Amino acid sequence: MRSPSIAAAASTAVLMTLASASRGQTTGGFSLDRFEPAPAGDAFFGVPSPAAPGHLAPRVHAMLDYAHRPIHSSGDSPIDLVSSQALLRLGASLALWDRLLLSLDAPLAVAQGGDDPGIPGVAFTELTAPELGDLRFGARLRVLGRDAGPLQLGIGGYLFAPTGTPAQYTGDEEPRGAFHASLGGRLGTARSSLGFLWSASGGVELGGGPNRPQQLTFGAAAGALLGGDLLQLGAEAYGAAPLGGDLLLSSTPVQREEAGLNAELLLGAKLRVLGGLTFGAAVGPGLTNAIGTPSVRAVGMIGWAPLPQPDSAERAPAVAAGDKDDDGIDDALDACPDVKGDPSPDPAMDGCPPADRDGDTVRDIDDACPTTPGARSADVTRSGCPDDRDGDGFHDGIDACLDVPGSSSDDPRKVGCPADADDDGIVDASDACPKVKGTASRDPKQNGCPDDPDGDGVRGAADACPNERGRPDPDPAQNGCPRFVRVHADEITTSKPVQFIVYGKTRAQTVAPISDDLLREVRDAIQQNPDIELVEVQGHTDDSGSEEYNLRLSQERAEAVLSWLVAAGVPREKLVARGYGFERPLGDNRVKTGRQKNRRVQFMIIKRKGAAVQR
């Protein structure tokens, strides 16, 4: 770092291009800009990463790099020897074999200026634009770690061609080389809502001519990824420490100054859309007063780089596409891919039909009622089924009301019977409140309905849920009903699942805010049914992962929901949380829909006032 006395002296005879000299002599001058952008497609603006993802994968960017007061003096009469310098950088890179990255950076000074120190006998060289900078050619090899993994190691280097103009601070007199090693990685997958990136590098710069000292380079950066790779927020610090030597600022008169430590900080953001179109901006201060370190640097860029692809740990197991027999079992798992069958624990029989389970001589493949004996029929929809005495479409083997036409029901005791969902003796066709027990009435709108037992203001037949406090709704089927919750004898059921935030800070915070309305209705159901004395909040998972992991995960999620309900006003003594892992599946864990059913939270009524709940 320059001392105040040196800085004051520099204000009278500084800069590479202050002096003019005879041809053939070194007149001073060097590449002033100390910001070296990372190759096109890298995660950060100035700190290189070790990654080289893809094969024959091109990446490009256009970047505007603005440095404010990169050389300025302090003293009684401050002079901005270089008041500003703006470079337009066109960069490109090409990844090969997921290991090697080749890159190019072409800088062009599009605007720069400075103050004439007014030294008698010294000719001031006016800064002009546009001026070409030194072309940079780069190569990098990822030597350790997997792409997009948490820890990677890379080695790389740059070769700078002296295509710039030293007298205009855009280039060095001679070629120079830079070598560096970098560590970095990514926490969180490409599908995660929140991820973390980091990178650190260190190296050495050699050559450039007598006006540029050799130096050690360093950098570190960290950033957060939001919405997968949609938005990146981060900070990075970088710089260079000279290995002795000084800078020739002027040869007429000779003016040298000790090279100082360059260090800068950038705070930036990148937005990635449309599969890889990237917009970025960063700004930050210089941390030292060395030549080339601006008081403020601002960077803006637009580029294209393919988004990271899910690694092998993220990808689902490869299965053959399709389900030819439409039995819900993927062809890769189906032992009988051309014949519709059933799941079986025996891989040799998985997806295959049993020969004739009901023994009626109609093979299961042709039997419309494979578990109920019946007669063969030319009607394929009836072949192998018993007769249907009442002609209601339910054969006598399953029809609970053989002589009375009825309808379907989830209760085997009611299949084929006239619907009476509330068991009040009034069939649903005549029951104005088919889901709530009521009394007979001559008024069709009141027949089978109570008055307003839930006290929600929706009365009589208009209340589709007369025993559950709800809200008015223009949909008659929802009028007077909770939106998401129903109370049964042994369970409070929900119409949609409780959702969780993967990276919640505390247990209570893992419950996603989108589930607040649903959980408020669970709370209301418990509070509006004072006979409910104990509810078990159950956590369930699919069978992905170990038994220990799933038991822990299900317990934590059950406790998070319990904490939410207690915070919302449910007495703690009315709740108990228990995780069951994957021991109580509702669906088949081998298929996606089955796994979705199994990932759930249930609210089981354990005890009502006066007695335990019978199951």
Side-chain angles (χ1 to χ4, degrees):
M1 183 181 295
R2 293 176 292 174
S3 67
S5 61
I6 294 176
S11 67
T12 63
V14 138
L15 284 191
M16 316 175 263
T17 58
L18 282 179
S20 61
S22 59
R23 294 181 179 271
Q25 292 182 326
T26 298
T27 62
F30 45 80
S31 175
L32 177 62
D33 192 26
R34 294 301 185 259
F35 172 71
E36 283 297 337
D42 268 19
F44 297 104
F45 290 92
V47 178
S49 77
H55 178 58
L56 297 177
R59 297 160 173 84
V60 295
H61 72 213
M63 178 180 292
L64 184 63
D65 160 26
Y66 172 77
H68 184 62
R69 303 179 69 196
I71 302 183
H72 60 278
S73 65
S74 59
D76 295 335
S77 300
I79 297 175
D80 290 334
L81 300 170
V82 178
S83 59
S84 64
Q85 188 179 56
L87 278 75
L88 175 64
R89 297 178 175 274
L90 300 179
S93 65
L94 181 67
L96 300 171
W97 308 293
D98 286 311
R99 287 286 178 182
L100 178 65
L101 187 77
L102 305 178
S103 64
L104 172 68
D105 178 65
L108 178 70
V110 293
Q112 55 181 354
D115 299 335
D116 185 347
I119 307 301
V122 177
F124 175 70
T125 302
E126 182 178 359
L127 300 181
T128 62
E131 289 286 345
L132 184 64
D134 285 349
L135 287 173
R136 187 190 78 187
F137 303 91
R140 181 170 74 212
L141 180 67
R142 175 168 57 86
V143 295
L144 290 176
R146 60 181 174 82
D147 181 38
L151 179 63
Q152 304 170 59
L153 170 65
I155 56 174
Y158 298 133
L159 176 63
F160 296 83
T163 52
T165 305
Q168 289 290 325
Y169 311 118
T170 62
D172 292 311
E173 290 187 356
E174 299 175 7
R176 60 187 165 101
F179 307 93
H180 66 265
S182 56
L183 285 171
R186 174 187 181 125
L187 301 177
T189 69
R191 295 171 178 168
S192 301
S193 59
L194 177 65
F196 179 76
L197 290 172
W198 68 280
S199 190
S201 68
V204 61
E205 242 186 50
L206 305 171
N211 296 343
R212 187 182 187 95
Q214 319 306 305
Q215 56 187 3
L216 296 176
T217 60
F218 58 87
L225 293 170
L226 307 177
D229 287 86
L230 176 64
L231 179 63
Q232 174 184 325
L233 303 176
E236 47 193 291
Y238 54 87
L243 298 171
D246 51 22
L247 298 170
L248 177 61
L249 302 173
S250 170
S251 62
T252 311
V254 173
Q255 176 67 39
R256 293 183 178 274
E257 182 168 341
E258 182 181 355
L261 172 68
N262 296 102
E264 299 183 37
L265 174 67
L266 279 180
L267 302 176
K270 288 187 177 182
L271 178 68
R272 300 178 177 91
V273 296
L274 302 177
L277 182 61
T278 305
F279 300 91
V283 65
L287 303 179
T288 65
N289 197 34
I291 288 178
T293 301
S295 57
V296 175
R297 184 181 301 279
V299 178
M301 60 84 65
I302 181 173
W304 170 263
L307 293 180
Q309 296 300 311
D311 62 22
S312 58
E314 292 181 74
R315 298 187 185 109
V319 296
D323 179 13
K324 290 185 288 185
D325 55 13
D326 195 29
D327 59 2
I329 302 173
D330 288 331
D331 291 343
L333 304 175
D334 199 331
C336 301
D338 298 309
V339 182
K340 184 175 292 188
D342 297 318
S344 171
D346 180 0
M349 293 299 296
D350 198 14
C352 296
D356 183 13
R357 281 174 287 177
D358 56 14
D360 61 1
T361 72
V362 182
R363 292 181 59 206
D364 287 352
I365 191 173
D366 301 317
D367 198 331
C369 302
T371 59
T372 306
R376 187 178 300 275
S377 171
D379 182 356
V380 294
T381 64
R382 303 293 305 163
S383 187
C385 294
D387 292 337
D388 179 13
R389 193 184 311 170
D390 55 16
D392 59 3
F394 301 97
H395 62 76
D396 294 347
I398 61 173
D399 197 332
C401 300
L402 296 175
D403 299 308
V404 182
S407 58
S408 62
S409 173
D410 292 334
D411 185 349
R413 297 170 300 174
K414 297 180 180 181
V415 172
C417 295
D420 182 16
D422 54 13
D423 287 322
D424 60 1
I426 302 171
V427 298
D428 291 349
S430 303
D431 197 333
C433 299
K435 296 184 179 180
V436 183
K437 286 186 178 181
T439 58
S441 171
R442 293 182 179 181
D443 182 357
K445 295 182 179 179
Q446 295 294 326
N447 192 29
C449 294
D451 185 21
D452 185 17
D454 58 9
D456 61 1
V458 183
R459 310 180 70 82
D463 195 339
C465 301
N467 284 333
E468 298 175 74
R469 182 173 297 177
R471 63 185 70 186
D473 194 295
D475 182 359
Q478 295 296 323
N479 194 27
C481 294
R483 293 174 60 195
F484 309 113
V485 169
R486 297 291 184 273
V487 179
H488 304 277
D490 60 350
E491 183 179 5
I492 300 171
T493 60
T494 60
S495 62
K496 66 178 185 178
V498 179
Q499 298 188 37
F500 296 88
I501 300 172
V502 176
Y503 296 104
K505 296 180 181 178
T506 68
R507 277 181 178 166
Q509 290 173 327
T510 61
V511 178
I514 195 173
S515 294
D516 287 353
D517 287 345
L518 182 148
L519 291 177
R520 276 192 281 268
E521 288 194 8
V522 174
R523 173 202 62 190
D524 292 343
I526 297 173
Q527 293 176 341
Q528 293 164 13
N529 290 269
D531 63 317
I532 297 177
E533 293 189 344
L534 185 61
V535 174
E536 183 179 79
V537 182
Q538 297 183 353
H540 301 274
T541 69
D542 60 25
D543 65 355
S544 300
S546 67
E547 180 179 3
E548 178 183 357
Y549 168 80
N550 281 287
L551 281 172
R552 184 175 67 253
L553 175 63
S554 61
Q555 183 67 34
E556 289 177 352
R557 291 191 167 176
E559 291 175 357
V561 172
L562 183 148
S563 298
W564 193 104
L565 292 172
V566 170
V570 178
R572 178 63 180 82
E573 63 271 20
K574 283 196 171 189
L575 300 172
V576 62
R578 183 175 177 185
Y580 289 88
F582 52 70
E583 69 183 50
R584 295 187 178 183
L586 292 180
D588 190 340
N589 273 311
R590 293 170 304 166
V591 295
K592 181 178 180 181
T593 54
R595 292 192 297 272
Q596 290 174 339
K597 286 183 180 179
N598 294 337
R599 298 190 294 267
R600 67 195 189 277
V601 172
Q602 291 183 267
F603 304 90
M604 307 304 296
I605 300 173
I606 303 301
K607 184 179 180 182
R608 288 184 181 269
K609 187 172 295 184
V613 175
Q614 298 298 317
R615 300 183 183 279

